[in-house]
Structures are given as C-alpha cells and as structure tokens.
Amino acid sequence: MKIPTIAIKLNKAGERAVKQGHPWIFESSIEKAPDGKRPAGSLCVIFDQRYNKPIAFGLWDPEEIIRIKVIYQGSRLQLNTEFWKSQLKEAFSKRQNLIHKGITGYRGIHGENDHFPGLILDVYAKVGVLKIYSNIWKPYLETLMEEIQSLYGLATIVIRFSRKIQQNNSFPYQEGDVIGQALESEKVEFEEYGVKYYAYTQSGHKTGFFLDQRPNRLWVQENAKGKKVLDVFSYVGGFGIHALKGGATSLTSVDISQQAMDVAKENIVLNKIDESKWTPIAADAFLALEELIDQKEKFDIVIIDPPSFAKQASEVNSASNQYERLARLGRELVTNNGTLILGSCSSRISLQAFEEIHQDAGITPMNDWKYLHYTLHDDDHPIGFPESNYLKTVFYRKD
C-alpha cells in the first residue's frame, strides 16, 4: 500500500518545539499543509521555514488536536520495513538490562519515548499486549506485529485499544483479539526479582498489570524483613507481595476493587505465601485510612500509590488536595523509625510540586520526618520529553 506524503510547515513556536525533540505537533502549530482530506497515518515531512529543508517526519492524525505525531528527527527517511525494524531494535536494546536480570514482565515499547507515539507494548513472558491509542498505526500494524513478534520472541500478541478507538473502531481487529499462538487462558504468568504475578492480558486494566513501580517494589522486598506493611491502592498486590516475599510479618492491602483483591489472592497463592499474614480491605482508601487511624494502627512501611488524580490541567488543584490529604493520613500510620512511601503518576504534577505537597502535609524535619530519596522511571519507561515524566515516588522516614 502506498502511503500518502504531506509537506508541512509550522509556525515558529511549533518548529522550535520539534527542533527541541518534542514529539507532538498541535493543529494550531501548523502554518502550511495541503488542502483536502488525508488518511490517518499519512507521512508528514516537516520543513524548516528558513532553509526549506526537512527537519523531522511524523504521522498524520486528522481527528486529533495533536495533528502530527513525530516518529523521526532528521532530514531523510525511507518509510519501509527496515525503518520500523531499526526503530524497534533501538527500543528493544533499552530493555536488555532488565531482561538480563531475568525479568519477564516489562514495557517493550513506551509510546512517544521510543518513537512510537500512541503505541504501547507490554511483554509478559512469551505474550505481548499491544495497546493502540491512535489511528495512525492502521497502515503499519501488520508489519509492526510481525517484526515485534520476531524481535521480542513472542508466541502471542493480544490487541488492546484505547476507549476512544473502541467507540469507533475501524481497525481489522477487535479488543482482546489474539494474534499468533492461541492462549489457554488470558491469565499469563511472569516474574520480577523472584516474585511471580498473573497479568490478565485481555480484561485487565491497561495491559493487565502496572509495571512501572518495579524498582520501588524491589526496595520494599529488600527492606521488609520483620516489618508490618500497609499497601494502599494495592491493586493486585504488587508492593505487598514483594513485602511478604521479603519477610514482612504482616501485610494489610487496601483497594476499592474486590476483583483486584481476588487477583491479589491468586498472586499470593502463586508465590506460596502464607495467607494468614495478609489482611485485605476492599474499601475507599480515604475512609479505610481514617478507620485504621481511629483503631490506632501503626505500620513499619506505609505505601500510598494512587491512580492519576490529574489527567487534565483543570484537575491539578483537586489532585494536589487529594495528595495532601493522603500524605496527612499516611503519616499518622507510620511507627517511629518507619518508612512512608508516596507515589504519583500524574504528569501534570512535578516532583518539586509533589514534594511541596508533602511539606504542606507536615512531612518536614521540624515534625521529625527525614527525606530519604526519590525515584523516577525504570529502564523500560524512558523519558523522552517533559510531559512523559509522569512517575515519581518519594521515600520518608519517621525519626
């Protein structure tokens, strides 16, 4: 299939952003483009205003405000199978450190940060879950799946779509379709640092598991021996199972979803862990924390890692208030010499702003709190531009 090509010129601000490596070109930044409709996935050649030479290449997305997603910075590009192979090999090379550690659950393609805007690949052993957020990938999907399967050593690819695409799906696949070897069950086992999990590849949230907190789960595992642990927004048991595997004396998990708790139980059984050490609480996190405080409970390690509270700029103030409230509740549950771990996956709230929220919540040296360290993204979640720096986790000790 011949891919249409579009010549594009941007206004000064848009051109400057592209030259600085930003992968998004908004509709308002486009100064000159051909008239008429162009299909999603058409190749856009971005020309420099001053010298009229190509500076980058992107894919056309006619239904979105981010009209062009940049896939390559440079002056020449041949859009063929060899190009996609090269892009995939670059992404795969960034994961080698994790793969060599024996980790079998990792993010294989991290969207724009790996030059595949609107495309996510999460790998669980021999199964890859390919989640598609943009129609720009329609012309390239068959080629990409073939190359992904070969390079990443996958027997199976599960296709997942964003909600927006599901509402008006024009791809030749449906949500949850399986390519390659059939699955005996959607439940796929994978491992990280000696802990096993199930990923629900066809029905699970996002791609079936949250892989991005892996380094912090390892920290908990390495520091949990003999400790009493509270894991809030525990989902399917990520932090908590690492804690029990590391020798925690008890684990209390809090999540509003009973279904997530049921999967957490499966993961506990999978790891041959004594269930009597585990107390699941299926309830609203804020209410559950208040109740634990009323009961005068204290824990050696308290982990609070909520979902994103600020998906839009208008939600930042509300999100800040929620983060502060959680920090205030969490601090009341930490025993002396205990650790409080506070996470945020809201890209609109910076690390500095997140730390200031904690100070407003009274987590300061004056109140006997010591700042330990912070973490950002692991190797499989590279940061390619400011908006992609979403994950930040801060560790404090109660002196």
Side-chain angles (χ1 to χ4, degrees):
M1 183 181 86
K2 186 168 173 55
I3 303 295
T5 302
I6 309 172
I8 300 287
K9 284 197 176 177
L10 307 176
N11 60 26
K12 286 183 179 179
E15 185 176 304
R16 185 166 57 250
V18 169
K19 286 181 175 178
Q20 289 171 350
H22 205 286
W24 297 339
I25 297 175
F26 290 85
E27 179 187 14
S28 58
S29 297
I30 299 172
E31 206 165 79
K32 189 177 178 185
D35 294 331
K37 213 171 176 185
R38 297 293 190 279
S42 297
L43 179 64
C44 299
V45 187
I46 318 301
F47 284 89
D48 174 282
Q49 284 209 11
R50 187 173 178 185
Y51 300 107
N52 201 32
K53 291 182 178 179
I55 55 170
F57 297 81
L59 300 180
W60 185 253
D61 201 347
E63 306 299 324
E64 298 294 331
I65 293 173
I66 301 175
R67 187 55 50 89
I68 301 169
K69 277 82 170 176
V70 176
I71 57 169
Y72 184 75
Q73 300 273 344
S75 58
R76 298 181 69 181
L77 170 66
Q78 222 176 342
L79 193 61
N80 54 23
T81 301
E82 288 308 309
F83 169 75
W84 294 123
K85 272 186 182 179
S86 173
Q87 297 283 83
L88 287 169
K89 281 179 181 175
E90 185 183 341
F92 188 55
S93 69
K94 297 175 188 174
R95 280 77 185 168
Q96 291 308 300
N97 183 40
L98 294 174
I99 293 169
H100 289 151
K101 290 178 181 176
I103 289 165
T104 59
Y106 61 92
R107 175 147 294 180
I109 298 172
H110 189 41
E112 286 85 341
N113 304 280
D114 286 309
H115 312 295
F116 286 93
L119 197 70
I120 296 292
L121 172 71
D122 282 347
V123 174
Y124 304 108
K126 294 291 183 183
V127 178
V129 180
L130 192 66
K131 185 145 188 179
I132 301 164
Y133 290 84
S134 172
N135 285 313
I136 62 174
W137 296 111
K138 209 181 304 173
Y140 313 103
L141 188 56
E142 299 300 329
T143 299
L144 284 175
M145 285 197 299
E146 187 176 330
E147 297 304 326
I148 285 168
Q149 210 165 345
S150 172
L151 180 62
Y152 289 82
L154 304 176
T156 306
I157 291 178
V158 177
I159 302 289
R160 303 285 299 268
F161 294 107
S162 67
R163 286 181 186 173
K164 191 168 186 177
I165 288 184
Q166 285 185 57
Q167 287 167 4
N168 188 23
N169 186 0
S170 59
F171 281 81
Y173 299 100
Q174 298 302 311
E175 170 75 0
D177 277 0
V178 172
I179 313 301
Q181 188 175 308
L183 291 174
E184 289 181 17
S185 164
E186 69 153 325
K187 194 165 67 172
V188 176
E189 183 182 317
F190 70 96
E191 186 172 326
E192 63 175 43
Y193 299 122
V195 178
K196 297 175 182 178
Y197 294 104
Y198 289 123
Y200 278 73
T201 56
Q202 290 170 299
S203 66
H205 194 52
K206 301 286 186 179
T207 68
F209 195 85
F210 292 108
L211 295 163
D212 51 7
Q213 282 284 17
R214 185 190 305 108
N216 299 321
R217 289 195 287 265
L218 177 61
W219 186 96
V220 169
Q221 181 180 337
E222 291 175 339
N223 290 273
K225 190 169 184 178
K227 305 288 176 63
K228 186 179 175 185
V229 177
L230 172 65
D231 182 11
V232 189
F233 301 99
S234 59
Y235 190 47
V236 296
F239 277 103
I241 293 170
H242 272 272
L244 291 173
K245 196 78 172 178
T249 55
S250 71
L251 166 67
T252 301
S253 300
V254 177
D255 198 281
I256 199 166
S257 168
Q258 182 58 54
Q259 185 180 6
M261 286 296 183
D262 293 341
V263 179
K265 183 175 180 178
E266 287 185 325
N267 287 329
I268 284 173
V269 172
L270 178 64
N271 285 279
K272 299 181 172 59
I273 289 169
D274 181 0
E275 275 186 68
S276 68
K277 294 181 177 180
W278 180 49
T279 303
I281 300 173
D284 175 87
F286 292 93
L287 297 177
L289 289 175
E290 287 171 355
E291 191 168 329
L292 287 169
I293 291 168
D294 289 343
Q295 294 167 358
K296 301 197 176 344
E297 290 279 3
K298 295 284 183 181
F299 299 86
D300 301 298
I301 300 176
V302 173
I303 306 136
I304 303 179
D305 181 34
S308 177
F309 288 145
K311 293 181 179 176
Q312 302 171 29
S314 60
E315 296 172 335
V316 168
N317 286 340
S318 169
S320 298
N321 292 335
Q322 287 175 293
Y323 283 127
E324 183 178 342
R325 187 180 167 200
L326 284 172
R328 287 183 182 278
L329 292 168
R331 73 176 193 181
E332 297 302 317
L333 290 161
V334 182
T335 189
N336 288 339
N337 296 315
T339 304
L340 177 61
I341 303 172
L342 298 172
S344 165
C345 59
S346 300
S347 63
R348 296 181 182 276
I349 293 179
S350 67
L351 174 62
Q352 182 182 345
F354 195 47
E355 291 171 346
E356 287 172 357
I357 288 167
H358 302 159
Q359 291 165 21
D360 291 341
I363 301 174
T364 63
M366 189 182 300
N367 293 320
D368 299 323
W369 286 95
K370 181 178 181 182
Y371 182 102
L372 296 178
H373 65 276
Y374 71 87
T375 63
L376 297 175
H377 296 220
D378 208 353
D379 292 349
D380 59 339
H381 288 71
I383 301 167
F385 60 108
E387 290 91 337
S388 67
N389 189 4
Y390 72 93
L391 186 67
K392 67 281 304 180
T393 308
V394 188
F395 291 65
Y396 299 94
R397 189 177 72 225
K398 177 74 179 292
D399 288 335

